[in-house]
């Protein structure tokens, strides 16, 4: 049976731009009521205003439990409850572990993984009332690895297995749990990395699809909405990412290491030099350490 989102309340973190914003707009167009949650208050307020009075927004840091609890309380007061949670908030640092401050590496882990777990904890009582659904945003990075992405890959792998266990824990409560695994999506996050590193672009060109492909935001939105409608346990964007999930025993073997290791000794110093030159730990549009960027 299709899980119709018409009239249902979707609580979306990281909704100020990128995938979160696009999913919010598409869901609203299908008749859902949307709570847009994130750090960029002006963008959230503007988007909610464009969507109409049946939607709401809340300024929230997903690493701060009191902030999340307040956003949930506001959503319930404004929209009456929560049916679906899309735990989408995420960031990626620019640089390797050796070149990045410890707080930067930890911040990526905190937002991408701990932020997901805090979002679940804040919303679970409301989602249970409606026997709803969680879509936890992981990544293709959960079952592959590239240099310069250690914190991102580690956090997204954590989201996947957190979701796997959570699915079992919440089944008797009537709650569904899925994880979303996307390749590169044409968002601000990916465009920021490309702008700061020609080595990143060169690497993408050498990788086979879907590792080297960049999908559109619209493709991602369609995958997310289909995943919610079918309460899927896995959402792959593009669908070929699912093949890589099945190949992880090879990807994470010594055999899988060979093609990456062959380039790493040259590629990593280039990446480090390029990111060092920008002087930024995060992309131009990333909220990074918690301060919104214009």
């Amino acid at each position: 049976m299709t899980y119709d989102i018409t009239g249902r309340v979707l609580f979306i973190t990281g909704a100020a731009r990128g995938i979160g914003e696009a999913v919010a707009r598409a869901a609203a167009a299908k008749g859902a009521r949307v709570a847009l949650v994130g750090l960029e208050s002006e963008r959230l307020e503007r988007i909610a205003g464009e969507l109409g009075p049946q939607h709401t927004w809340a300024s929230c840091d997903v690493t701060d439990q009191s902030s999340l609890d307040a956003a949930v309380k506001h959503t319930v007061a404004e929209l009456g409850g929560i049916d679906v949670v899309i735990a989408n908030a995420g960031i990626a640092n620019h640089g390797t572990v050796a070149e990045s401050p410890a707080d930067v590496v930890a911040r990526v882990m905190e937002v991408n993984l701990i932020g997901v777990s805090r979002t679940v904890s804040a919303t679970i009582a409301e989602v249970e009332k409606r026997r709803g659904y969680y879509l936890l945003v992981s990544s293709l990075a959960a079952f592959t690895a590239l240099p310069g992405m250690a914190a991102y890959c580690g956090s997204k792998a954590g989201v996947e297995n957190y979701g796997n266990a959570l699915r079992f824990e919440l089944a008797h409560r009537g709650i569904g749990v899925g994880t979303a695994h996307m390749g590169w999506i044409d968002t601000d996050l990916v465009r920021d990395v490309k702008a700061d590193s020609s080595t990143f672009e060169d690497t993408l060109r050498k990788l086979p699809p879907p590792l080297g492909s960049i999908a559109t935001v619209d493709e991602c939105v369609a995958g997310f909405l289909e995943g919610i409608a079918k309460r899927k346990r896995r959402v792959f964007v593009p669908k070929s990412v699912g093949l890589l999930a099945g190949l992880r025993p090879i990807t994470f073997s010594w055999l899988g290491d060979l093609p990456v290791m062959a380039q790493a000794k040259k590629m990593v110093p280039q990446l480090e030099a390029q990111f060092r030159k920008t002087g930024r730990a995060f992309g131009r549009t990333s909220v990074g350490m918690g301060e919104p960027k214009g």
Side-chain angles (χ1 to χ4, degrees), residues 204-281:
L204 285 189
R205 281 193 287 268
K206 295 175 183 176
L207 293 171
L211 286 171
S213 304
I214 298 180
T216 67
V217 173
D218 287 345
E219 290 177 81
C220 191
V221 170
F224 277 32
L225 293 183
E226 180 186 13
I228 294 168
K230 296 181 179 179
R231 293 170 70 101
K232 285 187 173 182
R233 65 187 299 277
R234 291 282 189 278
V235 173
F236 297 115
V237 181
K239 292 187 185 299
S240 56
V241 169
L243 297 175
L244 289 177
L247 291 173
R248 77 179 78 194
I250 297 174
T251 303
F252 288 138
S253 72
W254 65 269
L255 187 62
D257 282 355
L258 289 177
V260 181
M261 193 64 76
Q263 300 182 54
K265 290 184 179 180
K266 179 181 179 181
M267 181 174 65
V268 171
Q270 290 175 343
L271 280 172
E272 291 178 337
Q274 288 169 355
F275 288 138
R276 199 182 302 127
K277 186 176 180 180
T278 69
R280 288 190 297 271

Side-chain angles (χ1 to χ4, degrees), residues 8 51 173 175:
R8 297 189 189 274
L51 294 181
R173 299 176 186 270
I175 300 174

Side-chain angles (χ1 to χ4, degrees), residues 96-292:
T96 61
V97 172
E99 290 277 322
S100 300
D103 284 348
V104 168
V105 176
R107 179 65 178 173
V108 175
M109 300 280 196
E110 190 177 21
V111 172
N112 294 359
L113 176 55
I114 305 305
V116 167
S117 74
R118 287 189 179 278
T119 299
V120 171
S121 294
T123 55
I124 199 164
E126 293 299 328
V127 175
E128 182 178 5
K129 291 176 184 176
R130 300 188 173 195
R131 301 175 71 83
Y133 175 77
Y134 282 96
L135 185 60
L136 312 182
V137 178
S138 178
S139 170
L140 164 63
F143 32 82
T144 188
L146 288 174
M149 297 180 61
Y152 189 83
C153 290
S155 62
K156 292 301 186 178
V159 170
E160 180 189 26
N161 221 22
Y162 171 79
N164 288 339
L166 187 69
R167 185 178 303 112
F168 299 136
E169 292 187 12
L170 298 185
H172 75 284
R173 299 176 186 270
I175 300 174
V177 178
T179 54
H181 303 271
M182 308 87 67
W184 305 105
I185 305 296
D186 186 23
T187 61
D188 288 338
L189 186 151
V190 172
R191 288 191 289 268
D192 284 350
V193 181
K194 289 172 65 177
D196 285 348
S197 174
S198 60
T199 299
F200 173 77
E201 284 203 89
D202 291 341
T203 301
L204 285 189
R205 281 193 287 268
K206 295 175 183 176
L207 293 171
L211 286 171
S213 304
I214 298 180
T216 67
V217 173
D218 287 345
E219 290 177 81
C220 191
V221 170
F224 277 32
L225 293 183
E226 180 186 13
I228 294 168
K230 296 181 179 179
R231 293 170 70 101
K232 285 187 173 182
R233 65 187 299 277
R234 291 282 189 278
V235 173
F236 297 115
V237 181
K239 292 187 185 299
S240 56
V241 169
L243 297 175
L244 289 177
L247 291 173
R248 77 179 78 194
I250 297 174
T251 303
F252 288 138
S253 72
W254 65 269
L255 187 62
D257 282 355
L258 289 177
V260 181
M261 193 64 76
Q263 300 182 54
K265 290 184 179 180
K266 179 181 179 181
M267 181 174 65
V268 171
Q270 290 175 343
L271 280 172
E272 291 178 337
Q274 288 169 355
F275 288 138
R276 199 182 302 127
K277 186 176 180 180
T278 69
R280 288 190 297 271
F282 298 95
R284 286 185 178 89
T285 59
S286 174
V287 294
M289 298 302 287
E291 298 182 8

Side-chain angles (χ1 to χ4, degrees), residues 3-25:
Y3 185 74
D4 188 359
I5 62 171
T6 303
R8 297 189 189 274
V9 177
L10 274 61
F11 183 93
I12 306 173
T13 65
R17 61 177 72 235
I19 295 169
E21 176 186 355
V23 171
R25 290 184 182 278

